[in-house]
Amino acid sequence: MRLLIVEDEKRLALSLAKGLTAEGYAVDVVHDGLEGLHRATETPYDLIVLDIMLPGMNGYRVCATLRAAGHDVPILMLTAKDGEYDEAEGLDTGADDYLTKPFSYVVLVARVRALLRRHGQGKGSSPVHVVGGLTIDLGARRVVRGEGEDEIALTAKEFAVLEQLVLRRGEVVSKAEILEHVWDFAYEGDPNIVEVYVSALRRKLGARLIRTVRGAGYRLEAPR
Ligand code: CA
């Protein structure tokens, strides 16, 4: 899952990015509304955390512009102001949820997860997937063997790669698509990094779960 944070308070933005990265999300940060709009238009983000008071263009306008252009990416608005008026205005412009500063980091992560889950469900997927004898819970970010308690430990990044394949199980997902959703724009390394993570997943979850489709990408086999 790849997130965009648009927040001009640099320390806040960086600490949010650091925390969300540790949760396994790929996170891009910009400090300006226009730059945020530009990024959001160019990259298929899974969620945007959007401050309201921003240089360049304010958050309300960024949100309204994205919605007018047909983008349905979930948007979580941050506001320093406290009042029903702002909340109503934020939701009016098409935001999905809002948080009033100061907020606790734990609450932010919970809201981000809930929004991603809600959005995923809107597309007809559930957070719990049973595949190849594994139960993969995208909400709790755990993988267990069968329905038991035998949890398989994955790193946050391994889980994020697995998630992309699970969300499109039975379909071919290209390396570029995985990179786009799991790594942020600061990543300039080798795109073959995806292979390294797929190898690790095969080692931990079984060799037959993820099929390589030559020249196209990977496919998570669909049997239950
Ligand atoms: Ca601000």
Side-chain angles (χ1 to χ4, degrees):
M1 292 285 168
R2 183 164 173 184
L3 317 184
L4 175 66
I5 296 175
V6 189
E7 166 61 80
D8 60 320
E9 288 170 48
K10 293 191 175 160
R11 282 183 54 189
L12 174 62
L14 291 176
S15 80
L16 293 180
K18 208 171 153 192
L20 289 166
T21 301
E23 300 285 330
Y25 300 110
V27 183
D28 295 328
V29 178
V30 295
H31 307 297
D32 174 280
L34 266 180
E35 176 73 9
L37 178 63
H38 177 69
R39 291 276 182 197
T41 308
E42 298 229 305
T43 309
Y45 286 104
D46 298 293
L47 183 141
I48 299 174
V49 177
L50 181 62
D51 189 30
I52 290 174
M53 302 300 284
L54 288 167
M57 179 187 273
N58 74 48
Y60 293 139
R61 285 196 55 209
V62 173
C63 186
T65 307
L66 283 171
R67 293 300 186 237
H71 293 275
D72 70 341
V73 57
I75 296 178
L76 173 59
M77 280 212 169
L78 304 180
T79 171
K81 296 184 284 183
D82 195 0
E84 284 172 22
Y85 177 73
D86 299 309
E87 175 190 335
E89 192 170 357
L91 297 174
D92 253 15
T93 59
D96 298 275
D97 200 357
Y98 76 98
L99 264 182
T100 304
K101 296 176 188 173
F103 50 80
S104 90
Y105 175 69
V106 176
V107 170
L108 175 90
V109 172
R111 296 286 187 89
V112 164
R113 282 191 178 164
L115 269 183
L116 287 171
R117 204 154 50 226
R118 222 157 76 198
H119 196 69
Q121 276 165 352
K123 290 178 185 164
S125 70
S126 126
V128 179
H129 297 256
V130 179
V131 53
L134 302 170
T135 302
I136 301 166
D137 186 337
L138 299 181
R141 312 197 78 69
R142 315 172 64 216
V143 181
V144 295
R145 238 177 252 294
E147 283 160 24
E149 291 298 303
D150 181 15
E151 183 169 354
I152 300 167
L154 298 184
T155 66
K157 215 63 162 177
E158 287 166 356
F159 196 95
V161 171
L162 178 64
E163 179 174 47
Q164 291 306 313
L165 295 167
V166 167
L167 287 171
R168 291 177 56 193
R169 77 193 262 189
E171 292 174 40
V172 178
V173 186
S174 73
K175 267 188 224 170
E177 288 170 314
I178 296 174
L179 263 184
E180 198 160 63
H181 284 275
V182 179
W183 277 269
D184 57 54
F185 65 54
Y187 180 73
E188 288 177 349
D190 189 344
N192 290 324
I193 184 88
V194 174
E195 285 173 24
V196 175
Y197 281 85
V198 168
S199 302
L201 287 170
R202 284 180 174 144
R203 224 167 31 243
K204 291 181 177 181
L205 307 178
R208 296 174 57 196
L209 189 68
I210 301 169
R211 179 81 44 104
T212 300
V213 181
R214 197 179 293 182
Y218 299 101
R219 184 174 64 222
L220 188 78
E221 297 298 328
R224 276 165 192 274

